[in-house]
Amino acid sequence: MVPAKSLTFLLMDAPYEQTRTATAFRLLDAALRLGFGVRVFAYEGAVSLASTLQKPHANAIHGRSLEEEDHPTPHVWISALVQLAQERGAQFEWVNCGLCVDERGVTEVVSGVRRGSPADFWKMASESDNTLVIPTR
Amino acid sequence: MPSYLLIETRDPFDSSCFIQHCELAAALVRDGGKVTLFLLENGVLGARSTARLPQLEKLNRLGVPVLADEFALRERGISGAEIVDQVKAVPLSTLVDELATGAKALWN
């Protein structure tokens, strides 16, 4: 059996700031659905994507309740990707840069996310079929 | 032959980077590379026929496929009839497939 191809993605943007984050999640989802193994290295502000301290909120300005607003939280998206990978038997790895985590105090993260270092990114990129760096500006 | 996947996310009327990316694509082709340009996010604004970007025509003449994310087009209210012939609307999974070919990817 030929092992599935794998792709590595490096993310840098913090949650709730850039369209790039939503695009990145769309790419991760598409890659898993196409059967690729997916590896993510979260650098700088992107380590906060996995924070379980994110909370959805109501929208008082528009008069919407918490349920009606259905405010997205990126850590839930990561959990959904972890689950999707499990259902499909695909590789999914998410590593947060340790120094970036310490700087930002992102100590509580969703299951399936681990702490690492830029050396992990090098290893991921070396072992993958390709790597896409989605840089911040 | 080296292959490249250039991903352009910027509005061509907001940043000169779009044009520079097109120039980079042309230069890579002239150097013997195989290039695909993928328009994402605000980059798809350059795909409108009313944008009248000669750079896309030039890339077309050089044989560079120019692809645009269907979702980004829909999100911006751009219909298939509004985009130039040189640009093909595709799902984002196409970008993943392009990555899987091993092409050197550059996100702008």
Side-chain angles (χ1 to χ4, degrees), chain B residues 46-60:
Chain B
R48 295 170 299 161
S49 55
T50 49
R52 299 183 183 181
L53 294 177
Q55 290 80 7
L56 294 185
E57 289 174 25
K58 183 179 176 184
L59 291 181
N60 187 244

mmCIF file with all atom_site columns, all heavy atoms in Angstrom, chain B residues 46-60:
data_model
loop_
_atom_site.group_PDB
_atom_site.id
_atom_site.type_symbol
_atom_site.label_atom_id
_atom_site.label_alt_id
_atom_site.label_comp_id
_atom_site.label_asym_id
_atom_site.label_entity_id
_atom_site.label_seq_id
_atom_site.pdbx_PDB_ins_code
_atom_site.Cartn_x
_atom_site.Cartn_y
_atom_site.Cartn_z
_atom_site.occupancy
_atom_site.B_iso_or_equiv
_atom_site.pdbx_formal_charge
_atom_site.auth_seq_id
_atom_site.auth_comp_id
_atom_site.auth_asym_id
_atom_site.auth_atom_id
_atom_site.pdbx_PDB_model_num
ATOM 1   N N   . GLY B 1 46 ? -9.047  40.707 -9.526  1.00 0.00 ? 46 GLY B N   1
ATOM 2   C CA  . GLY B 1 46 ? -8.323  40.897 -10.779 1.00 0.00 ? 46 GLY B CA  1
ATOM 3   C C   . GLY B 1 46 ? -8.872  40.052 -11.919 1.00 0.00 ? 46 GLY B C   1
ATOM 4   O O   . GLY B 1 46 ? -8.521  40.266 -13.079 1.00 0.00 ? 46 GLY B O   1
ATOM 5   N N   . ALA B 1 47 ? -9.718  39.090 -11.589 1.00 0.00 ? 47 ALA B N   1
ATOM 6   C CA  . ALA B 1 47 ? -10.261 38.192 -12.615 1.00 0.00 ? 47 ALA B CA  1
ATOM 7   C C   . ALA B 1 47 ? -11.442 38.809 -13.358 1.00 0.00 ? 47 ALA B C   1
ATOM 8   O O   . ALA B 1 47 ? -11.847 38.305 -14.413 1.00 0.00 ? 47 ALA B O   1
ATOM 9   C CB  . ALA B 1 47 ? -10.689 36.874 -11.969 1.00 0.00 ? 47 ALA B CB  1
ATOM 10  N N   . ARG B 1 48 ? -12.016 39.888 -12.837 1.00 0.00 ? 48 ARG B N   1
ATOM 11  C CA  . ARG B 1 48 ? -13.185 40.505 -13.486 1.00 0.00 ? 48 ARG B CA  1
ATOM 12  C C   . ARG B 1 48 ? -12.781 41.096 -14.835 1.00 0.00 ? 48 ARG B C   1
ATOM 13  O O   . ARG B 1 48 ? -11.719 41.700 -14.961 1.00 0.00 ? 48 ARG B O   1
ATOM 14  C CB  . ARG B 1 48 ? -13.753 41.622 -12.599 1.00 0.00 ? 48 ARG B CB  1
ATOM 15  C CG  . ARG B 1 48 ? -14.329 41.127 -11.278 1.00 0.00 ? 48 ARG B CG  1
ATOM 16  C CD  . ARG B 1 48 ? -14.626 42.296 -10.377 1.00 0.00 ? 48 ARG B CD  1
ATOM 17  N NE  . ARG B 1 48 ? -13.383 43.030 -10.098 1.00 0.00 ? 48 ARG B NE  1
ATOM 18  C CZ  . ARG B 1 48 ? -13.335 44.275 -9.650  1.00 0.00 ? 48 ARG B CZ  1
ATOM 19  N NH1 . ARG B 1 48 ? -14.449 44.930 -9.421  1.00 0.00 ? 48 ARG B NH1 1
ATOM 20  N NH2 . ARG B 1 48 ? -12.177 44.861 -9.419  1.00 0.00 ? 48 ARG B NH2 1
ATOM 21  N N   . SER B 1 49 ? -13.637 40.934 -15.808 1.00 0.00 ? 49 SER B N   1
ATOM 22  C CA  . SER B 1 49 ? -13.325 41.488 -17.132 1.00 0.00 ? 49 SER B CA  1
ATOM 23  C C   . SER B 1 49 ? -13.183 43.004 -17.056 1.00 0.00 ? 49 SER B C   1
ATOM 24  O O   . SER B 1 49 ? -12.397 43.602 -17.800 1.00 0.00 ? 49 SER B O   1
ATOM 25  C CB  . SER B 1 49 ? -14.396 41.093 -18.147 1.00 0.00 ? 49 SER B CB  1
ATOM 26  O OG  . SER B 1 49 ? -15.667 41.488 -17.686 1.00 0.00 ? 49 SER B OG  1
ATOM 27  N N   . THR B 1 50 ? -13.913 43.621 -16.139 1.00 0.00 ? 50 THR B N   1
ATOM 28  C CA  . THR B 1 50 ? -13.830 45.080 -16.008 1.00 0.00 ? 50 THR B CA  1
ATOM 29  C C   . THR B 1 50 ? -12.516 45.529 -15.363 1.00 0.00 ? 50 THR B C   1
ATOM 30  O O   . THR B 1 50 ? -12.205 46.718 -15.375 1.00 0.00 ? 50 THR B O   1
ATOM 31  C CB  . THR B 1 50 ? -15.004 45.609 -15.176 1.00 0.00 ? 50 THR B CB  1
ATOM 32  O OG1 . THR B 1 50 ? -15.105 44.825 -13.982 1.00 0.00 ? 50 THR B OG1 1
ATOM 33  C CG2 . THR B 1 50 ? -16.311 45.526 -15.949 1.00 0.00 ? 50 THR B CG2 1
ATOM 34  N N   . ALA B 1 51 ? -11.767 44.593 -14.791 1.00 0.00 ? 51 ALA B N   1
ATOM 35  C CA  . ALA B 1 51 ? -10.469 44.962 -14.189 1.00 0.00 ? 51 ALA B CA  1
ATOM 36  C C   . ALA B 1 51 ? -9.447  45.280 -15.280 1.00 0.00 ? 51 ALA B C   1
ATOM 37  O O   . ALA B 1 51 ? -8.523  46.066 -15.067 1.00 0.00 ? 51 ALA B O   1
ATOM 38  C CB  . ALA B 1 51 ? -9.953  43.838 -13.299 1.00 0.00 ? 51 ALA B CB  1
ATOM 39  N N   . ARG B 1 52 ? -9.616  44.655 -16.445 1.00 0.00 ? 52 ARG B N   1
ATOM 40  C CA  . ARG B 1 52 ? -8.764  44.939 -17.623 1.00 0.00 ? 52 ARG B CA  1
ATOM 41  C C   . ARG B 1 52 ? -7.275  44.922 -17.293 1.00 0.00 ? 52 ARG B C   1
ATOM 42  O O   . ARG B 1 52 ? -6.566  45.915 -17.477 1.00 0.00 ? 52 ARG B O   1
ATOM 43  C CB  . ARG B 1 52 ? -9.146  46.273 -18.242 1.00 0.00 ? 52 ARG B CB  1
ATOM 44  C CG  . ARG B 1 52 ? -10.569 46.268 -18.713 1.00 0.00 ? 52 ARG B CG  1
ATOM 45  C CD  . ARG B 1 52 ? -10.975 47.540 -19.393 1.00 0.00 ? 52 ARG B CD  1
ATOM 46  N NE  . ARG B 1 52 ? -12.382 47.477 -19.761 1.00 0.00 ? 52 ARG B NE  1
ATOM 47  C CZ  . ARG B 1 52 ? -13.037 48.433 -20.391 1.00 0.00 ? 52 ARG B CZ  1
ATOM 48  N NH1 . ARG B 1 52 ? -12.414 49.527 -20.721 1.00 0.00 ? 52 ARG B NH1 1
ATOM 49  N NH2 . ARG B 1 52 ? -14.302 48.289 -20.670 1.00 0.00 ? 52 ARG B NH2 1
ATOM 50  N N   . LEU B 1 53 ? -6.819  43.805 -16.818 1.00 0.00 ? 53 LEU B N   1
ATOM 51  C CA  . LEU B 1 53 ? -5.404  43.683 -16.466 1.00 0.00 ? 53 LEU B CA  1
ATOM 52  C C   . LEU B 1 53 ? -4.638  43.039 -17.620 1.00 0.00 ? 53 LEU B C   1
ATOM 53  O O   . LEU B 1 53 ? -4.821  41.854 -17.903 1.00 0.00 ? 53 LEU B O   1
ATOM 54  C CB  . LEU B 1 53 ? -5.241  42.830 -15.204 1.00 0.00 ? 53 LEU B CB  1
ATOM 55  C CG  . LEU B 1 53 ? -5.817  43.407 -13.908 1.00 0.00 ? 53 LEU B CG  1
ATOM 56  C CD1 . LEU B 1 53 ? -5.637  42.424 -12.762 1.00 0.00 ? 53 LEU B CD1 1
ATOM 57  C CD2 . LEU B 1 53 ? -5.152  44.731 -13.567 1.00 0.00 ? 53 LEU B CD2 1
ATOM 58  N N   . PRO B 1 54 ? -3.784  43.796 -18.281 1.00 0.00 ? 54 PRO B N   1
ATOM 59  C CA  . PRO B 1 54 ? -3.019  43.214 -19.398 1.00 0.00 ? 54 PRO B CA  1
ATOM 60  C C   . PRO B 1 54 ? -2.078  42.111 -18.949 1.00 0.00 ? 54 PRO B C   1
ATOM 61  O O   . PRO B 1 54 ? -1.705  41.240 -19.735 1.00 0.00 ? 54 PRO B O   1
ATOM 62  C CB  . PRO B 1 54 ? -2.245  44.416 -19.958 1.00 0.00 ? 54 PRO B CB  1
ATOM 63  C CG  . PRO B 1 54 ? -2.227  45.425 -18.861 1.00 0.00 ? 54 PRO B CG  1
ATOM 64  C CD  . PRO B 1 54 ? -3.461  45.204 -18.050 1.00 0.00 ? 54 PRO B CD  1
ATOM 65  N N   . GLN B 1 55 ? -1.725  42.137 -17.656 1.00 0.00 ? 55 GLN B N   1
ATOM 66  C CA  . GLN B 1 55 ? -0.794  41.124 -17.143 1.00 0.00 ? 55 GLN B CA  1
ATOM 67  C C   . GLN B 1 55 ? -1.384  39.708 -17.273 1.00 0.00 ? 55 GLN B C   1
ATOM 68  O O   . GLN B 1 55 ? -0.651  38.750 -17.533 1.00 0.00 ? 55 GLN B O   1
ATOM 69  C CB  . GLN B 1 55 ? -0.445  41.397 -15.674 1.00 0.00 ? 55 GLN B CB  1
ATOM 70  C CG  . GLN B 1 55 ? 0.412   42.610 -15.450 1.00 0.00 ? 55 GLN B CG  1
ATOM 71  C CD  . GLN B 1 55 ? -0.374  43.915 -15.467 1.00 0.00 ? 55 GLN B CD  1
ATOM 72  O OE1 . GLN B 1 55 ? -1.610  43.926 -15.526 1.00 0.00 ? 55 GLN B OE1 1
ATOM 73  N NE2 . GLN B 1 55 ? 0.336   45.030 -15.429 1.00 0.00 ? 55 GLN B NE2 1
ATOM 74  N N   . LEU B 1 56 ? -2.692  39.587 -17.072 1.00 0.00 ? 56 LEU B N   1
ATOM 75  C CA  . LEU B 1 56 ? -3.300  38.258 -17.179 1.00 0.00 ? 56 LEU B CA  1
ATOM 76  C C   . LEU B 1 56 ? -3.301  37.777 -18.627 1.00 0.00 ? 56 LEU B C   1
ATOM 77  O O   . LEU B 1 56 ? -3.108  36.586 -18.893 1.00 0.00 ? 56 LEU B O   1
ATOM 78  C CB  . LEU B 1 56 ? -4.725  38.276 -16.607 1.00 0.00 ? 56 LEU B CB  1
ATOM 79  C CG  . LEU B 1 56 ? -4.834  38.535 -15.102 1.00 0.00 ? 56 LEU B CG  1
ATOM 80  C CD1 . LEU B 1 56 ? -6.279  38.402 -14.634 1.00 0.00 ? 56 LEU B CD1 1
ATOM 81  C CD2 . LEU B 1 56 ? -3.946  37.591 -14.302 1.00 0.00 ? 56 LEU B CD2 1
ATOM 82  N N   . GLU B 1 57 ? -3.501  38.698 -19.558 1.00 0.00 ? 57 GLU B N   1
ATOM 83  C CA  . GLU B 1 57 ? -3.439  38.333 -20.986 1.00 0.00 ? 57 GLU B CA  1
ATOM 84  C C   . GLU B 1 57 ? -2.026  37.874 -21.339 1.00 0.00 ? 57 GLU B C   1
ATOM 85  O O   . GLU B 1 57 ? -1.838  36.908 -22.077 1.00 0.00 ? 57 GLU B O   1
ATOM 86  C CB  . GLU B 1 57 ? -3.821  39.532 -21.857 1.00 0.00 ? 57 GLU B CB  1
ATOM 87  C CG  . GLU B 1 57 ? -5.303  39.868 -21.787 1.00 0.00 ? 57 GLU B CG  1
ATOM 88  C CD  . GLU B 1 57 ? -5.629  41.146 -22.543 1.00 0.00 ? 57 GLU B CD  1
ATOM 89  O OE1 . GLU B 1 57 ? -4.879  41.501 -23.471 1.00 0.00 ? 57 GLU B OE1 1
ATOM 90  O OE2 . GLU B 1 57 ? -6.622  41.802 -22.166 1.00 0.00 ? 57 GLU B OE2 1
ATOM 91  N N   . LYS B 1 58 ? -1.051  38.582 -20.794 1.00 0.00 ? 58 LYS B N   1
ATOM 92  C CA  . LYS B 1 58 ? 0.348   38.233 -21.056 1.00 0.00 ? 58 LYS B CA  1
ATOM 93  C C   . LYS B 1 58 ? 0.653   36.827 -20.529 1.00 0.00 ? 58 LYS B C   1
ATOM 94  O O   . LYS B 1 58 ? 1.292   36.020 -21.201 1.00 0.00 ? 58 LYS B O   1
ATOM 95  C CB  . LYS B 1 58 ? 1.270   39.259 -20.391 1.00 0.00 ? 58 LYS B CB  1
ATOM 96  C CG  . LYS B 1 58 ? 2.742   39.037 -20.646 1.00 0.00 ? 58 LYS B CG  1
ATOM 97  C CD  . LYS B 1 58 ? 3.565   40.114 -19.979 1.00 0.00 ? 58 LYS B CD  1
ATOM 98  C CE  . LYS B 1 58 ? 5.054   39.857 -20.140 1.00 0.00 ? 58 LYS B CE  1
ATOM 99  N NZ  . LYS B 1 58 ? 5.859   40.848 -19.416 1.00 0.00 ? 58 LYS B NZ  1
ATOM 100 N N   . LEU B 1 59 ? 0.182   36.556 -19.304 1.00 0.00 ? 59 LEU B N   1
ATOM 101 C CA  . LEU B 1 59 ? 0.414   35.229 -18.726 1.00 0.00 ? 59 LEU B CA  1
ATOM 102 C C   . LEU B 1 59 ? -0.269  34.155 -19.569 1.00 0.00 ? 59 LEU B C   1
ATOM 103 O O   . LEU B 1 59 ? 0.256   33.062 -19.752 1.00 0.00 ? 59 LEU B O   1
ATOM 104 C CB  . LEU B 1 59 ? -0.082  35.182 -17.278 1.00 0.00 ? 59 LEU B CB  1
ATOM 105 C CG  . LEU B 1 59 ? 0.723   36.012 -16.265 1.00 0.00 ? 59 LEU B CG  1
ATOM 106 C CD1 . LEU B 1 59 ? 0.135   35.865 -14.868 1.00 0.00 ? 59 LEU B CD1 1
ATOM 107 C CD2 . LEU B 1 59 ? 2.188   35.594 -16.258 1.00 0.00 ? 59 LEU B CD2 1
ATOM 108 N N   . ASN B 1 60 ? -1.443  34.490 -20.073 1.00 0.00 ? 60 ASN B N   1
ATOM 109 C CA  . ASN B 1 60 ? -2.169  33.554 -20.931 1.00 0.00 ? 60 ASN B CA  1
ATOM 110 C C   . ASN B 1 60 ? -1.342  33.227 -22.182 1.00 0.00 ? 60 ASN B C   1
ATOM 111 O O   . ASN B 1 60 ? -1.239  32.056 -22.580 1.00 0.00 ? 60 ASN B O   1
ATOM 112 C CB  . ASN B 1 60 ? -3.517  34.172 -21.298 1.00 0.00 ? 60 ASN B CB  1
ATOM 113 C CG  . ASN B 1 60 ? -4.395  33.189 -22.058 1.00 0.00 ? 60 ASN B CG  1
ATOM 114 O OD1 . ASN B 1 60 ? -4.726  33.415 -23.207 1.00 0.00 ? 60 ASN B OD1 1
ATOM 115 N ND2 . ASN B 1 60 ? -4.730  32.095 -21.423 1.00 0.00 ? 60 ASN B ND2 1
#
